[in-house]
Amino acid sequence: MSVELDVFVGNTTIMDEEVYQLWLDGYTVNDAVKVRMEGGVMDECEASKDVLLSDTMDQYRTFQMCERLLHSPAKLANQLLFQIPPHRQIMLIERYYAFDDTFVREVLGKKLSKGTKKDLDDISAKTGVTLKSCRRQFDNFKRVFKVVEELKGPLVENIRQHFLLSDKLARDYAAIVFFANNRFETGKRKLQYLSFQDFAFCAGQLISNWTVGAVGESSIDPSYNMVEDMDVDLDKEFLQELKELKILITDKDLLDQHKSLVCTALRGKTKVFPEMETSFKNLSRGLINIAAKLTNTKDVRDFFIDLVEKFIEPCRSDRWTAADMKLYLTHYTNSAHILDTFKHQVVWDRYMGVVKSCIFKMYHD
Amino acid sequence: MPGKLKAKIVAGRHLPVMDRASDLTDAFVEVKFGNTTFKTDVCPKSLNPQWNSEWFKFEVDDEDLQDEPLQITVLDHDTYSANDAIGKVYIDIDPLLYSEAASVISGWFPIYDTIHGIRGEINVIVKVELFNDLNRFRQSSCGVKFFCTTCIPQCYRATLVHGFVEELVVNEDPEYQWIDRIRTPRASNEARQRLISLMSGELQRKIGLKVLEMGGNAVVGYLQCFDLEGESGLVVRAIGTACTLDKLSSGSAPNTNTHMHPNTAPASNACNSPSKDGKESPLAHGCRSTHNSPVHSVCSSQRLSQNFSVSVPTLIFTGMGSGGSAGKEAGPLRTLLRQQTQTALEQREFPFFTLTSFPPGFLLHVGGVVSARSVKLLDRIHNPDEPETRDAWWEEIRQEIKSHARALGCHAVVGYSESTSICEEVCILSASGTAAILNPRYMREGCLDIGCTDHRFEDPSPPSCGFCHIPYDELNMPFPAQLTYCYHCRRQKVPDVLFTTIDLPSEAAVAGKGCLIQARLCRLKKKAQGETNATAISNLLPFMEYELHTQLMNKLKLRSMNALFGLHIQISVGENMLLGLASATGVYLTALPAPGGIQIAGKTPGDLSNEHISSIQKRINDTIAVNKELYQINPPELAEEGVGSPIPEPRHRSRLFRSHSESSDELSELDLSHGKKDAFVLEIDDTDAVEDIHSLLIDAPPPTGFYSCNTENMPGISNWTSGVQMFTSVRVLRLSNANLTNQGLNKIFTDLCENLLKSFYFKLRSMIPCCLCHLNFTVAVPEEELIQVTVTAVAMTYDKEQTQEKTAEKPVNKGSLEAEEQLQFPLELCADSSSSNIQTASKISGVAESTNISPRAASVDYGSFADRCSTWLELLRLKAHTIRRGSVKTISSLERCSPLQEGRSRSLRSSRSFGGSSVTVVKMTPLSFLPGIRIIKYLGIINMFFIRETTSLREEGGVSGFLHSFIAEVFAMVRAHVAALGGNAVVSYSMKECVFMENPNKNQAQCLINVSGDAVICISETDQESSASTANTGQTGGGGTDGAT
């Protein structure tokens, strides 16, 4: 005696958020039933294991049927097959596109290709996220990437409109797309201490300040707003201009002048002033060399590792506090404005603004 | 040229990719009606094509308009090979043919393919221009309205109820022909879908013609069914109640009358003659049975003309009259009344009504359930135009029902329905209904002027208990029965238990809440062919019916209730077994005596297992006590009785005497001789009986916060809030063990049903407090070792707080007061008075708030079944079935009062608004109403038939995945059609058929589903005040031609 067929279909599609999460997390039906039993749902309605199994199966089927629609969320609102109240639709989409920070950290900056997909089982083993869930998350990244690749206009807005995601999630996806497109290196051991949210913040800074779109926003020309990939690629012109900043380290006078201005401002304000004074030239060289090299794609990829190696690590070994860091970078940036012979104030601000906030974000244990 | 049909193809969306190379589709559309076909241009390389076609015009007869659906086929253009079909849409244009319903069909329809399911959507606009004048119009029955709803639809008033209409059409099943050759699934499925669509159209038109002949304009309680007879063909049959309906404007007067139209069929003398009765075998008191000669071959030689038929003994479950004392005062009046009614009704061939709920005052008395079954051998239907055999079969059954009703002293059958179960060449035809006496006022023609006072004079019984009073002659009882004086009015006799197929009347006085009661039974039978098989089945049927009723009765007693409503017994036949499932809603009617307990007795007085028996007895008593608590059955006087004790005997006996006055003395004396009068006795005479008792106790009560019923209204709950969830669930069980016993099978089947209920409770737990209403179970034996159970129901939330409040302030003596108030508007026969919607009634009639709290009048007798069973017992003793005797517990009238149905007035809190999403939200419910929502317009009947097939079962997620998506697709298509008609809800929705076949080895499966319901526009009651004016203008604007208002 066995149940051959067992279905339950509601006019309004019944979905349990807990089961949905288990499905998203890649649990098998049996594992999901175990988790639910442990969660005490059985006591709620005098249910037995069979009831739970039947319910879980029904819901899993429903989710599988919905999955096709979730791939293009706009369809969910005007499809006829499932009658789902709008707030539930939003929940379904938001949860489907949610991802594990530990997982995304592993693929951040990697090419979203078949090759990477093959490595997912390793990532699954490493992060403890089930392979099924890894695949869903990876496919989501890839899908969003493919769609926005072909769209014009602002990145975050495109993602939000096309996938009906919340602002926060859309920004995270923008970061993922941005990293994947520029192939930023994030996997090196020295970068391991950084979380996805650290990178997402930095990506946000880069997108809103260093891309073509960033200029477009400030410019009056509306046609500028519609450049392809405007938020995904860095502004080439700007990168070129960054080379001009080299003068700050190549011109001996300028370098000394800059150093003295900064030191004057910092003296007595921090315990680590002696260390700051001695390492000023090294640090300044580090930051400006990073700027000057960004025209090479290879060096763009190493942007974060360079920031850590050339700046964050030396500071950390000198035991700077975050407040020290803030103080130092503020004066370092501002002092450059006072240098009479330094003519590249706009480029300097655009560069240092981003670098400063990135370093603030990245300067932790 | 009576009509012009116009269709415009606007656009498509979400089309499937038909060209792998380009990942796109070159779609075009064929629009076909009758033999005329139009095509749109090809819209190249698009999954969201915009055709924006011209108007395709079809000039057609209105007869075709009724029969044919508009066929829309979406295809992918292919330059080199044949065009690929993407899918089809069938649009039933019937709703456009009544002037006051929908004026245009416009919207997105799912494109459906029988192999691939839904493949995108297409936007279509359809209009009909009728040129004909009214006379011409009438000849084709266009304009007759159809309603699935089994009560007078909301926003209508019935001026006349004409009576029963039936029709059937037959055809060859195209599927069967295809099998002979190499079957092409898509072609044969589509041929079948189209044929059935055509046949239902034709059937509806023919029924419509009959209605017009009778002078009506609508069919209410329209029930259409398919019999897939396989080799012998395909039968589509329908029954309904013809009415003349007037559209109700919100301000219409409250005192509008309804009359039964007597001028239908000429008087059939046969009805009065006892010839039919002569055939009845005097088997038992409890059983009215007819045995036709078991086998009669009309023409002996030819296989095809073989006509085999077995009419199975049938039970009538009714309360039978005892002493004639009741006639004292009311007697002469009642006799007069009965004569009047009878003359009117007896003129009809079949005084049957498919309605299940009635306006107050319509039902006078209810006799009990009458049913008839007949086993037939199927034959090829030779001449589809003259389906005489099928007609004759049903005629025979209906005659039997009629004679059963007559034996109960009733002249009408209400809540009438028919069904079949087919396995290979054997077919069981079943019909059942509730014998009743209707108010003669509704039978007379041209008596619109008869007012309320007349009514009051004619029928002295208060509406809250009048239904329960026995309709038959106490001096001439068909069976011995336990009668007592009505616990309400003390003037007339009532039976101890009442079984009916109708809904609980709105004015009936009940105590506590109702609950779903099911009896389940499996019986193995030997595999056999032809007549042997049919005989074997017909021999089993009476035993099954008997046992089902034993179970029902036991479970009713166990819940401390005394009446069943909405009783539906389904017997399903398979190759090696018969399945029986009886579902009903139990309730405690305060007019009837309190049920006695259940007493366990050993076979012999000195039975050894006394300890065992007493432990069982204790469990039963505990269960009864728990159930009383659970269903809040506490008529005040029961307190003194002591809950646990199943009736202290001597005291009770004296009471029995007291209430059974005069002529009934003899009877009670007789009854007493049986001993143990008060309690229902279960005798344990073998292990089977023990099993039975155990299974009795298995039924788990629903978890806290849940109630369930299978009727339109949940007795004891009326303050619904807006939460509504309709669902369909299908479960198929494979019996792996080849040598199962009856007991083992019973256990499996019972567990299957119980587990289904448990699953529902669990799934719907977020809706607590909630009630599962209209739980409709259908069983089938699709293959030798498979049992299929299909359930459709609706879960509705209610306001618990309010319920408790009302319970607390439950007025003790309000019954008579209510009755008085009730009488002011007894004649209103509009949907709003159909118990579910009393709130609206008051709004319409402008009556004081107090009328909202009207007691429900219940009715229908199940007479003292137990005593009748004692005769059965003799017959069945050899079979060692459970033995029961029942009796009445009597309580003096002074102690008795009528606890009112609590909280009639409905919560108006719900305020769900439609819209928001681009897809219209369409609510669906098997009930005739939606809580907190008022139906302002009926758009027409939805009657759809779909076939789905797959040759990649595993890839579609196995059988469950396949059926899950199919049911979801069916829902989606129903919703889309309703939305296209401009509606936002389906009421009286039902899934009539769900035939599932699989062949896992070939990775194939096929499923047929037939659904129906009424498409409606409704508005939230909270919006009602504000939108009343707009609704009014809408109504009058739409209903220009019917001068009803």
Side-chain angles (χ1 to χ4, degrees):
Chain A
M1 191 192 62
S2 58
V3 175
E4 179 98 358
L5 183 159
D6 178 20
V7 297
F8 177 101
V9 190
N11 183 35
T12 305
T13 308
I14 291 182
M15 292 169 171
D16 184 313
E17 290 190 31
E18 187 203 348
V19 185
Y20 186 49
Q21 196 55 55
L22 292 171
W23 177 74
L24 289 173
D25 289 345
Y27 283 81
T28 62
V29 173
N30 286 329
D31 290 347
V33 169
K34 263 180 222 150
V35 173
R36 294 182 81 187
M37 280 166 76
E38 283 157 16
V41 77
M42 296 234 286
D43 310 330
E44 267 181 50
C45 234
E46 301 157 32
S48 66
K49 195 186 170 187
D50 289 342
V51 167
L52 221 50
L53 180 68
S54 151
D55 178 58
T56 311
M57 295 270 272
D58 263 324
Q59 305 229 24
Y60 266 52
R61 267 198 309 272
T62 308
F63 299 141
Q64 267 152 27
M65 283 189 258
C66 275
E67 190 164 17
R68 186 178 52 84
L69 298 164
L70 287 166
H71 289 168
S72 41
K75 273 190 190 168
L76 200 63
N78 59 17
Q79 52 83 34
L80 303 176
L81 190 57
F82 299 104
Q83 189 156 279
I84 306 169
H87 70 277
R88 304 287 282 178
Q89 292 182 13
I90 292 166
M91 183 278 293
L92 283 179
I93 296 166
E94 194 75 9
R95 292 259 189 108
Y96 189 80
Y97 282 91
F99 49 78
D100 291 304
D101 280 2
T102 52
F103 171 78
V104 69
R105 190 60 192 76
E106 294 298 318
V107 293
L108 196 63
K110 283 186 182 156
K111 204 173 168 186
L112 299 174
S113 64
K114 286 218 174 79
T116 315
K117 199 171 177 182
K118 273 182 194 140
D119 299 336
L120 286 183
D121 39 1
D122 292 339
I123 297 174
S124 167
K126 188 177 166 193
T127 58
V129 177
T130 59
L131 184 58
K132 230 183 130 199
S133 179
C134 287
R135 291 214 175 107
R136 171 182 59 85
Q137 298 182 33
F138 184 79
D139 289 342
N140 282 344
F141 299 156
K142 214 172 148 177
R143 192 174 317 112
V144 173
F145 186 88
K146 268 185 99 171
V147 167
V148 294
E149 213 180 13
E150 291 164 7
L151 291 176
K152 294 175 178 178
L155 183 60
V156 177
E157 196 49 37
N158 278 342
I159 293 173
R160 196 165 55 200
Q161 280 186 4
H162 206 273
F163 291 94
L164 308 177
L165 299 178
S166 67
D167 189 59
K168 167 82 176 71
L169 200 52
R171 281 181 193 284
D172 284 351
Y173 267 94
I176 294 163
V177 169
F178 185 73
F179 267 70
N181 187 60
N182 291 293
R183 310 274 303 284
F184 287 108
E185 176 60 64
T186 65
K188 288 271 162 56
R189 205 179 46 80
K190 281 178 180 167
L191 293 177
Q192 284 308 314
Y193 79 99
L194 291 169
S195 72
F196 168 71
Q197 284 309 327
D198 294 336
F199 283 118
F201 173 82
C202 297
Q205 290 295 311
L206 265 68
I207 291 169
S208 46
N209 292 299
W210 286 6
T211 58
V212 184
V215 184
E217 270 171 56
S218 54
S219 93
I220 306 139
D221 182 6
S223 67
Y224 227 83
N225 247 331
M226 282 301 148
V227 175
E228 215 165 302
D229 288 343
M230 65 179 210
D231 280 352
V232 184
D233 291 335
L234 295 176
D235 184 354
K236 292 256 158 53
E237 250 172 78
F238 164 68
L239 297 182
Q240 207 62 44
E241 284 166 5
L242 282 178
K243 285 191 187 295
E244 310 289 339
L245 298 181
K246 271 199 128 173
I247 195 162
L248 282 175
I249 48 172
T250 48
D251 186 320
K252 185 97 176 45
D253 289 346
L254 215 51
L255 182 62
D256 289 338
Q257 219 178 332
H258 194 188
K259 181 182 172 181
S260 70
L261 279 169
V262 172
C263 289
T264 315
L266 289 174
R267 194 183 307 272
K269 287 187 182 155
T270 166
K271 282 179 192 168
V272 291
F273 177 72
E275 287 87 349
M276 281 182 181
E277 196 173 20
T278 45
S279 54
F280 177 85
K281 283 185 181 173
N282 262 340
L283 293 175
S284 185
R285 271 194 204 103
L287 287 181
I288 287 164
N289 278 330
I290 292 172
K293 286 194 300 177
L294 283 178
T295 41
N296 297 328
T297 326
K298 170 77 184 65
D299 291 305
V300 171
R301 288 182 196 174
D302 287 341
F303 176 69
F304 291 101
I305 187 94
D306 286 345
L307 278 186
V308 169
E309 282 179 351
K310 301 282 157 57
F311 195 88
I312 293 173
E313 280 187 343
C315 298
R316 200 184 282 146
S317 64
D318 285 343
R319 300 179 182 282
W320 292 22
T321 62
D324 296 334
M325 172 68 70
K326 206 162 201 166
L327 197 67
Y328 176 82
L329 282 178
T330 310
H331 288 292
Y332 178 72
T333 310
N334 293 345
S335 301
H337 294 292
I338 314 166
L339 300 167
D340 324 323
T341 47
F342 185 60
K343 303 292 179 204
H344 310 286
Q345 305 291 358
V346 179
V347 180
W348 174 249
D349 276 350
R350 193 173 169 190
Y351 177 68
M352 278 314 292
V354 171
V355 166
K356 204 163 67 178
S357 41
C358 285
I359 290 174
F360 288 163
K361 190 76 187 171
M362 291 162 71
Y363 195 74
H364 62 81
D365 294 329
Chain B
M1 194 49 58
K4 189 188 272 183
L5 171 68
K6 302 197 298 179
K8 183 185 175 98
I9 308 297
V10 183
R13 69 181 182 196
H14 307 153
L15 293 189
V17 170
M18 297 300 283
D19 180 2
R20 288 266 160 248
S22 66
D23 267 5
L24 289 167
T25 297
D26 306 321
F28 71 102
V29 182
E30 276 182 11
V31 187
K32 188 178 176 198
F33 188 83
N35 295 318
T36 318
T37 307
F38 293 102
K39 280 182 192 174
T40 66
D41 298 332
V42 175
C43 185
K45 303 202 184 310
S46 172
L47 299 182
N48 299 294
Q50 298 289 324
W51 291 288
N52 220 353
S53 78
E54 58 188 295
W55 284 99
F56 300 122
K57 298 185 181 103
F58 302 86
E59 297 182 337
V60 284
D61 282 338
D62 45 2
E63 190 178 308
D64 291 338
L65 282 173
Q66 284 192 286
D67 287 6
E68 295 257 358
L70 180 68
Q71 272 186 76
I72 293 165
T73 313
V74 186
L75 298 113
D76 177 47
H77 176 75
D78 201 325
T79 321
Y80 304 107
S81 60
N83 299 325
D84 292 327
I86 295 171
K88 289 197 171 204
V89 179
Y90 290 92
I91 301 176
D92 179 10
I93 44 181
D94 222 41
L96 295 180
L97 302 181
Y98 355 116
S99 43
E100 72 206 69
S103 56
V104 63
I105 298 176
S106 165
W108 289 99
F109 292 90
I111 302 167
Y112 181 72
D113 177 66
T114 60
I115 308 294
H116 295 101
I118 291 178
R119 305 174 95 188
E121 290 125 35
I122 185 169
N123 196 317
V124 181
I125 307 173
V126 185
K127 286 180 181 172
V128 170
E129 280 172 25
L130 289 166
F131 307 146
N132 41 2
D133 62 351
L134 205 67
N135 283 337
R136 178 72 185 85
F137 191 85
R138 290 256 151 172
Q139 282 172 23
S140 63
S141 89
C142 274
V144 173
K145 292 179 282 283
F146 285 80
F147 300 91
C148 296
T149 301
T150 55
C151 57
I152 302 303
Q154 282 184 47
C155 74
Y156 282 99
R157 179 174 69 93
T159 47
L160 275 170
V161 180
H162 301 274
F164 190 61
V165 279
E166 49 78 30
E167 185 64 85
L168 62 81
V169 294
V170 299
N171 213 313
E172 304 250 340
D173 193 340
E175 173 70 26
Y176 189 75
Q177 314 232 303
W178 278 103
I179 286 168
D180 294 337
R181 302 160 207 172
I182 298 162
R183 184 174 176 275
T184 53
R186 183 175 281 119
S188 68
N189 289 341
E190 273 167 16
R192 263 179 127 182
Q193 281 190 169
R194 197 182 118 72
L195 177 75
I196 289 184
S197 176
L198 272 171
M199 285 169 79
S200 356
E202 185 191 340
L203 188 72
Q204 220 167 303
R205 179 174 54 81
K206 285 185 169 173
I207 292 237
L209 279 172
K210 288 191 172 179
V211 172
L212 290 178
E213 268 169 40
M214 294 165 107
N217 65 2
V219 180
V220 183
Y222 185 66
L223 176 74
Q224 186 196 279
C225 295
F226 298 96
D227 298 332
L228 299 168
E229 294 186 352
E231 197 176 330
S232 59
L234 202 148
V235 177
V236 185
R237 58 192 162 77
I239 55 175
T241 306
C243 295
T244 302
L245 296 185
D246 272 357
K247 189 136 180 122
L248 211 62
S249 67
S250 340
S252 85
N255 59 343
T256 44
N257 293 356
T258 302
H259 302 278
M260 287 295 184
H261 205 301
N263 71 343
T264 53
S268 65
N269 296 329
C271 304
N272 295 329
S273 78
S275 61
K276 192 75 186 172
D277 296 353
K279 277 189 189 167
E280 285 166 14
S281 56
L283 261 181
H285 299 293
C287 153
R288 290 193 58 81
S289 62
T290 26
H291 263 300
N292 296 347
S293 54
V295 179
H296 61 258
S297 304
V298 177
C299 297
S300 50
S301 57
Q302 281 189 330
R303 156 88 179 83
L304 284 176
S305 58
Q306 213 171 43
N307 188 349
F308 178 86
S309 121
V310 179
S311 183
V312 171
T314 8
L315 296 169
I316 316 182
F317 309 101
T318 24
M320 286 297 118
S322 65
S325 58
K328 262 192 294 181
E329 267 180 301
L333 263 175
R334 287 181 66 207
T335 325
L336 182 74
L337 172 157
R338 190 175 297 134
Q339 279 164 0
Q340 285 172 340
T341 335
Q342 267 167 359
T343 46
L345 270 168
E346 273 166 9
Q347 283 167 8
R348 285 172 218 204
E349 195 177 7
F350 298 116
F352 295 173
F353 302 88
T354 54
L355 304 178
T356 58
S357 57
F358 304 90
F362 188 93
L363 272 180
L364 286 187
H365 306 293
V366 175
V369 172
V370 285
S371 75
R373 287 179 210 283
S374 170
V375 183
K376 302 285 184 189
L377 274 182
L378 296 172
D379 262 333
R380 191 180 290 277
I381 299 162
H382 295 293
N383 181 3
D385 295 328
E386 293 289 324
E388 280 161 353
T389 38
R390 302 299 183 275
D391 272 337
W393 288 353
W394 287 112
E395 167 92 18
E396 202 177 287
I397 295 244
R398 289 172 194 142
Q399 286 296 353
E400 210 173 306
I401 289 279
K402 192 179 168 184
S403 71
H404 289 330
R406 187 169 303 281
L408 293 180
C410 295
H411 55 235
V413 176
V414 293
Y416 179 73
S417 66
E418 294 175 349
S419 64
T420 58
S421 171
I422 297 170
C423 177
E424 304 286 318
E425 52 182 356
V426 175
C427 174
I428 302 179
L429 309 183
S430 311
S432 70
T434 303
I437 290 182
L438 305 179
N439 193 328
R441 201 166 32 76
Y442 295 99
M443 307 297 152
R444 261 176 270 146
E445 200 174 8
C447 51
L448 276 155
D449 51 330
I450 290 176
C452 321
T453 46
D454 186 18
H455 171 64
R456 201 181 296 212
F457 174 69
E458 275 185 6
D459 183 16
S461 319
S464 55
C465 66
F467 302 91
C468 314
H469 301 164
I470 53 160
Y472 29 81
D473 188 353
E474 293 100 310
L475 294 170
N476 188 21
M477 289 184 301
F479 323 113
Q482 284 289 335
L483 295 185
T484 48
Y485 277 103
C486 173
Y487 278 59
H488 251 207
C489 65
R490 314 292 305 171
R491 281 184 289 190
Q492 301 193 27
K493 295 282 176 89
V494 291
D496 59 341
V497 181
L498 192 59
F499 281 20
T500 77
T501 60
I502 57 170
D503 286 318
L504 180 71
S506 52
E507 57 272 45
V510 302
K513 297 195 167 48
C515 79
L516 179 79
I517 294 181
Q518 281 194 323
R520 302 128 182 164
L521 189 67
C522 278
R523 277 290 167 266
L524 291 164
K525 74 169 188 68
K526 289 211 175 71
K527 271 196 228 175
Q529 295 292 313
E531 290 170 20
T532 338
N533 194 22
T535 314
I537 291 168
S538 57
N539 286 342
L540 269 172
L541 285 181
F543 292 101
M544 292 191 67
E545 293 223 29
Y546 170 75
E547 268 195 63
L548 284 171
H549 281 84
T550 309
Q551 272 190 41
L552 281 178
M553 187 58 113
N554 287 342
K555 289 183 178 178
L556 189 66
K557 298 269 179 199
L558 204 58
R559 283 167 182 79
S560 203
M561 294 175 182
N562 56 18
L564 286 182
F565 288 88
L567 176 64
H568 179 75
I569 302 177
Q570 198 200 350
I571 300 221
S572 197
V573 59
E575 266 184 65
N576 61 343
M577 68 172 116
L578 287 170
L579 285 181
L581 181 68
S583 307
T585 300
V587 67
Y588 185 102
L589 286 179
T590 52
L592 300 192
I598 295 176
Q599 186 145 344
I600 303 294
K603 190 163 70 177
T604 51
D607 209 311
L608 291 172
S609 52
N610 262 338
E611 244 173 73
H612 180 58
I613 287 176
S614 64
S615 80
I616 295 178
Q617 180 73 61
K618 188 178 179 311
R619 272 182 70 195
I620 287 182
N621 292 346
D622 290 349
T623 313
I624 291 177
V626 166
N627 281 334
K628 269 189 186 170
E629 187 85 6
L630 182 64
Y631 300 112
Q632 296 158 18
I633 298 169
N634 40 4
E637 58 279 67
L638 276 188
E640 80 182 47
E641 203 82 30
V643 184
S645 75
I647 303 133
E649 214 171 307
R651 180 167 147 220
H652 176 82
R653 199 175 292 181
S654 65
R655 277 190 189 169
L656 197 72
F657 277 117
R658 214 193 306 158
S659 64
H660 273 240
S661 58
E662 301 156 3
S663 56
S664 60
D665 276 4
E666 197 181 67
L667 179 74
S668 15
E669 211 68 70
L670 191 75
D671 287 342
L672 286 167
S673 65
H674 290 290
K676 297 248 162 54
K677 287 314 323 164
D678 338 324
F680 202 64
V681 181
L682 287 176
E683 220 169 277
I684 301 184
D685 46 5
D686 62 8
T687 44
D688 279 7
V690 176
E691 286 290 324
D692 286 347
I693 289 167
H694 276 299
S695 69
L696 191 62
L697 294 166
I698 284 175
D699 283 11
T704 320
F706 272 109
Y707 287 98
S708 57
C709 67
N710 75 332
T711 47
E712 285 265 314
N713 304 299
M714 172 63 188
I717 298 179
S718 56
N719 43 331
W720 303 111
T721 51
S722 61
V724 172
Q725 172 65 277
M726 190 280 292
F727 61 86
T728 290
S729 183
V730 183
R731 211 170 265 197
V732 176
L733 206 66
R734 182 174 289 281
L735 310 164
S736 49
N737 192 352
N739 39 7
L740 274 166
T741 58
N742 276 337
Q743 292 290 353
L745 264 178
N746 277 345
K747 173 97 171 65
I748 288 168
F749 184 39
T750 302
D751 286 349
L752 175 58
C753 295
E754 284 289 310
N755 288 338
L756 265 171
L757 284 170
K758 277 182 199 156
S759 273
F760 301 157
Y761 296 138
F762 181 74
K763 272 184 193 293
L764 300 162
R765 65 193 185 285
S766 65
M767 293 178 80
I768 288 179
C770 119
C771 176
L772 301 186
C773 295
H774 212 286
L775 271 163
N776 182 15
F777 279 65
T778 317
V779 290
V781 191
E783 277 174 49
E784 201 174 313
E785 288 184 331
L786 296 182
I787 297 178
Q788 179 187 325
V789 179
T790 310
V791 187
T792 298
V794 63
M796 299 208 288
T797 55
Y798 64 91
D799 191 339
K800 203 171 187 178
E801 296 304 310
Q802 205 176 326
T803 311
Q804 281 162 353
E805 208 175 287
K806 296 269 171 169
T807 320
E809 69 189 29
K810 195 157 61 180
V812 175
N813 227 340
K814 219 168 169 184
S816 56
L817 186 87
E818 296 295 334
E820 289 294 306
E821 278 172 7
Q822 198 68 27
L823 288 174
Q824 292 170 27
F825 316 101
L827 306 180
E828 187 173 8
L829 181 47
C830 65
D832 300 314
S833 54
S834 69
S835 74
S836 56
N837 235 334
I838 279 142
Q839 180 64 38
T840 5
S842 83
K843 277 193 187 286
I844 284 181
S845 51
V847 187
E849 193 69 9
S850 55
T851 38
N852 292 349
I853 315 159
S854 63
R856 303 205 160 186
S859 46
V860 187
D861 292 24
Y862 174 104
S864 50
F865 179 78
D867 280 85
R868 288 183 279 123
C869 288
S870 58
T871 10
W872 263 95
L873 190 145
E874 273 140 42
L875 177 78
L876 300 175
R877 187 153 265 177
L878 287 172
K879 288 265 165 186
H881 290 297
T882 320
I883 295 155
R884 313 160 289 117
R885 290 199 199 102
S887 79
V888 189
K889 189 162 41 159
T890 335
I891 294 156
S892 92
S893 66
L894 289 173
E895 300 167 44
R896 206 69 174 160
C897 61
S898 67
L900 271 186
Q901 173 78 357
E902 61 223 24
R904 281 289 96 208
S905 60
R906 290 211 277 134
S907 149
L908 294 180
R909 229 183 277 165
S910 71
S911 58
R912 164 131 356 153
S913 56
F914 297 101
S917 154
S918 60
V919 180
T920 318
V921 173
V922 176
K923 293 190 169 196
M924 288 164 76
T925 177
L927 305 175
S928 62
F929 68 96
L930 278 160
I933 285 172
R934 183 166 142 63
I935 296 170
I936 55 167
K937 194 169 181 181
Y938 280 80
L939 298 166
I941 199 168
I942 295 283
N943 186 4
M944 298 167 97
F945 177 82
F946 299 105
I947 300 178
R948 179 85 153 80
E949 182 161 348
T950 183
T951 49
S952 51
L953 189 57
R954 273 187 296 276
E955 295 76 3
E956 293 196 32
V959 286
S960 295
F962 170 70
L963 194 61
H964 192 139
S965 52
F966 184 35
I967 292 173
E969 283 168 353
V970 169
F971 285 0
M973 287 184 280
V974 170
R975 288 193 300 255
H977 278 78
V978 172
L981 286 169
N984 57 12
V986 184
V987 295
S988 300
Y989 168 83
S990 75
M991 186 175 280
K992 300 269 185 48
E993 207 82 60
C994 179
V995 183
F996 178 75
M997 288 158 285
E998 58 165 329
N999 188 345
N1001 297 330
K1002 285 188 175 171
N1003 207 17
Q1004 286 177 339
Q1006 193 195 38
C1007 187
L1008 292 77
I1009 286 182
N1010 175 217
V1011 295
S1012 64
D1014 294 326
V1016 298
I1017 303 177
C1018 53
I1019 52 166
S1020 166
E1021 272 183 1
T1022 41
D1023 305 342
Q1024 197 182 329
E1025 307 297 339
S1026 54
S1027 56
S1029 53
T1030 46
N1032 260 341
T1033 49
Q1035 278 172 21
T1036 43
T1041 50
D1042 80 321
T1045 57

